[in-house]
Amino acid sequence: MKRFGQLIRLKPGVLESYKRYHAAIWPEVAATITACNIRNYSIFHKDGYLYAYMEYVGKDFDADMAKMAADPKTQEWWAIMKPMQDPIPNRAPGEWWADLEEVFHQD
Amino acid sequence: MKRFGQLIRLKPGVLESYKRYHAAIWPEVAATITACNIRNYSIFHKDGYLYAYMEYVGKDFDADMAKMAADPKTQEWWAIMKPMQDPIPNRAPGEWWADLEEVFHQD
């Protein structure tokens, strides 16, 4: 299992909408997350920043992320979410959500 | 089980020291974390901000946090960590690490 922490900003004024969508995530999108081997997935908010935590239980993360990106319902969901998001300037090339560095873990 | 997300800043220049301490956390401090019913505890870093994720499996969070705060070795550890940390201005009264709001979770 590999843990991921990720960071992104929200644009001003969209938090309530973002929360409403995520309180009623589309079943197909939720099912794709599970099918792509993501578990224990949380998103937290503070001051316009979103922090995601998730655990990857598959064997080929890149392949699973490609599978997720190819899912039509997920694409439809992202087409609503992405305009609400404002990626941080200091993300790595190719990132949308910026990966965080794990500096401590204790089971 | 209750999930917590928390946020704090590091002062400039202390990241490597903070990481070294956490790569070799004192056994007594780690044991106290476990004794206080914290599990699956991760800390992530990006751009001088630390983001913690943890799961609380006990029945009385306030009592367990008081127990942690009363532990002499933990106090000694905090006396080294706190001067490295710079709490965010927009934290709630009484907070050191600022609590994040959970806006999404999927097992």
Side-chain angles (χ1 to χ4, degrees):
Chain A
M1 188 269 281
K2 178 160 167 42
R3 291 172 293 274
F4 287 91
Q6 296 181 328
L7 178 66
I8 205 163
R9 284 181 303 204
L10 283 180
K11 289 184 183 158
V14 303
L15 176 62
E16 292 311 315
S17 176
Y18 191 88
K19 284 164 67 171
R20 272 196 305 275
Y21 271 102
H22 282 78
I25 186 176
W26 301 345
E28 302 92 334
V29 172
T32 296
I33 289 170
T34 300
C36 294
N37 292 309
I38 300 293
R39 300 287 183 279
N40 201 17
Y41 183 13
S42 298
I43 301 176
F44 296 91
H45 169 261
K46 180 80 179 174
D47 297 342
Y49 285 76
L50 298 176
Y51 300 83
Y53 171 86
M54 69 192 78
E55 296 169 358
Y56 177 70
V57 298
K59 293 199 160 67
D60 187 339
F61 184 73
D62 291 344
D64 275 328
M65 291 308 99
K67 177 176 159 182
M68 185 180 289
D71 175 63
K73 206 74 188 174
T74 298
Q75 288 170 2
E76 210 181 307
W77 177 264
W78 287 350
I80 302 170
M81 296 311 132
K82 284 197 163 188
M84 296 194 208
Q85 297 167 333
D86 180 21
I88 66 166
N90 193 28
R91 66 194 188 279
E95 286 185 344
W96 183 254
W97 287 77
D99 271 330
L100 307 177
E101 175 193 15
E102 185 179 301
V103 298
F104 175 70
H105 179 75
Q106 174 172 320
D107 286 332
Chain B
M1 189 269 281
K2 179 161 168 39
R3 289 171 294 275
F4 288 89
Q6 298 181 327
L7 181 67
I8 204 164
R9 284 181 303 203
L10 282 181
K11 290 184 183 159
V14 304
L15 176 63
E16 292 310 316
S17 175
Y18 191 88
K19 284 164 68 172
R20 272 196 303 275
Y21 273 103
H22 283 77
I25 186 176
W26 301 344
E28 302 93 333
V29 172
T32 296
I33 290 170
T34 300
C36 294
N37 292 309
I38 300 293
R39 301 287 183 277
N40 201 16
Y41 183 12
S42 298
I43 301 176
F44 297 91
H45 169 261
K46 180 80 179 174
D47 298 342
Y49 284 76
L50 297 176
Y51 154 57
Y53 171 85
M54 69 193 80
E55 297 169 357
Y56 177 69
V57 297
K59 293 201 160 68
D60 187 338
F61 184 74
D62 291 344
D64 275 328
M65 290 308 99
K67 177 175 158 182
M68 185 179 289
D71 175 63
K73 205 74 186 175
T74 297
Q75 289 172 1
E76 210 182 308
W77 176 264
W78 287 352
I80 302 171
M81 295 312 131
K82 285 197 164 187
M84 295 194 209
Q85 297 167 334
D86 180 22
I88 66 167
N90 193 27
R91 65 194 189 279
E95 285 185 343
W96 183 253
W97 286 77
D99 270 331
L100 307 177
E101 175 193 13
E102 185 179 299
V103 298
F104 175 70
H105 180 75
Q106 175 172 320
D107 286 333

